[in-house]
């Protein structure tokens, strides 16, 4: 049974929390590369080696048909010259929102090193072959989840999910190349990428890359 937490206990816990108590890495923005991908890969690898749990998890923000923002956490599948890659069902809430408004934002937060990366840009849905290949290299559990389907739909009961999931796991084991037609790989082509390095004295370093009309990148320091 869930214990009810009162307002005072909640606030006491909230206000007792601290961030960045240990030593933090430095960041010389003047030495940053000309394009953001190289710096992202460097920061991502550094965070993973520093012990950051699940550094490949990120927030994806979209908007629905009424202009209301939506956000969720999912996994990064790649980052290359095309952009930042992720995947989902085209029939999910995020898939429908991206179909209606293909502009989105990504957010990474690595508290172990007090770093954040924010990315904004246009999202493109990949074709069936690339989307299928995305699923083929993932685990049996990922395939089972894709085969279960119905993402973001109303669920009638926990038992209904158990039955569908069990069947999907069995199929994923017996048919590792089973098709999941709505599974789609997406690529966010960045227009802006911001790197944030936290500082214990609150003199945070914020470096923004902004793409110009000719495709080149402009680097700008921002006030924290």
């Amino acid at each position: 049974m869930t214990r009810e937490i009162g307002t005072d206990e909640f606030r006491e816990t909230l206000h007792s929390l601290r961030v960045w108590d240990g030593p933090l890495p430095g960041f010389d923005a003047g030495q940053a590369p000309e394009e953001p991908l190289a710096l992202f890969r460097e920061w991502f690898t550094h965070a993973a080696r520093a012990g950051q749990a699940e550094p490949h998890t990120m927030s994806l923000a979209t908007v629905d048909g009424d202009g209301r923002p939506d956000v969720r956490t999912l996994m990064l599948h790649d980052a290359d010259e095309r952009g930042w890659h992720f995947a989902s069902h085209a029939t999910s809430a995020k898939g429908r929102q991206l179909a209606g408004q293909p502009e989105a934002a990504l957010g990474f937060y690595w508290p172990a090193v007090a770093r954040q990366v924010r990315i904004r840009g246009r999202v493109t849905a990949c074709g069936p072959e690339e989307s299928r290949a995305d699923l083929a290299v993932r685990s049996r559990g990922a395939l089972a989840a894709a085969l279960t389907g119905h993402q973001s739909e109303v669920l009638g009961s926990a038992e209904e999910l158990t039955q569908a999931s069990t069947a999907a796991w069995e199929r994923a084991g017996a048919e590792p190349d089973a098709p999941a037609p709505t599974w789609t790989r997406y690529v966010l082509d960045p227009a802006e990428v911001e790197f944030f390095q936290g500082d214990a004295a609150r003199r945070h370093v914020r470096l923004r890359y902004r793409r110009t009309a000719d495709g080149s990148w402009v680097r700008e320091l921002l006030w924290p």
Side-chain angles (χ1 to χ4, degrees):
M1 185 175 181
T2 303
R3 182 175 71 88
E4 184 176 350
I5 302 296
T7 300
D8 290 344
E9 183 178 357
F10 166 76
R11 288 175 177 166
E12 180 181 356
T13 301
L14 175 63
H15 296 153
S16 70
L17 299 176
R18 296 292 179 267
V19 296
W20 311 334
D21 285 339
L24 302 179
F27 175 43
D28 182 357
Q31 298 299 313
E34 293 184 0
E35 298 187 357
L37 178 61
L39 185 56
F40 176 82
R41 287 176 168 175
E42 177 188 335
W43 275 30
F44 178 91
T45 303
H46 177 266
R49 293 175 177 172
Q52 176 61 58
E54 301 180 357
H56 58 317
T57 57
M58 60 185 185
S59 298
L60 167 67
T62 55
V63 294
D64 65 15
D66 296 321
R68 298 178 301 176
D70 203 352
V71 67
R72 74 286 288 163
T73 301
L74 69 169
M75 290 191 298
L76 176 71
H77 288 201
D78 199 1
D80 60 16
E81 289 72 16
R82 294 166 59 193
W84 275 251
H85 299 233
F86 59 94
S88 182
H89 287 283
T91 51
S92 68
K94 68 180 83 65
R96 296 193 305 271
Q97 290 166 3
L98 288 170
Q101 173 52 272
E103 296 283 339
L106 300 175
F108 294 85
Y109 177 45
W110 301 315
V113 290
R115 285 177 169 175
Q116 300 179 55
V117 182
R118 301 193 304 144
I119 308 161
R120 296 199 298 175
R122 189 170 185 83
V123 178
T124 301
C126 298
E129 183 176 347
E130 190 171 1
S131 296
R132 182 67 193 96
D134 175 272
L135 197 54
V137 299
R138 300 185 67 203
S139 66
R140 177 183 174 184
L143 175 58
L147 293 173
T148 300
H150 303 291
Q151 190 175 52
S152 304
E153 297 178 15
V154 175
L155 176 65
S157 67
E159 290 75 16
E160 184 180 353
L161 172 59
T162 298
Q163 292 174 3
S165 177
T166 299
W169 272 89
E170 292 175 354
R171 186 183 178 193
E175 193 181 345
D177 58 348
T182 61
W183 187 258
T184 304
R185 186 178 182 109
Y186 296 93
V187 182
L188 186 149
D189 182 21
E192 292 183 8
V193 184
E194 181 190 326
F195 294 84
F196 172 102
Q197 172 63 68
D199 178 80
R202 300 304 190 264
R203 291 188 285 269
H204 314 308
V205 180
R206 295 177 62 188
L207 174 65
R208 180 175 64 190
Y209 289 79
R210 182 169 47 83
R211 198 195 296 268
T212 63
D214 64 4
S216 62
W217 291 97
V218 173
R219 289 174 293 178
E220 302 166 317
L221 285 174
L222 304 178
W223 282 83

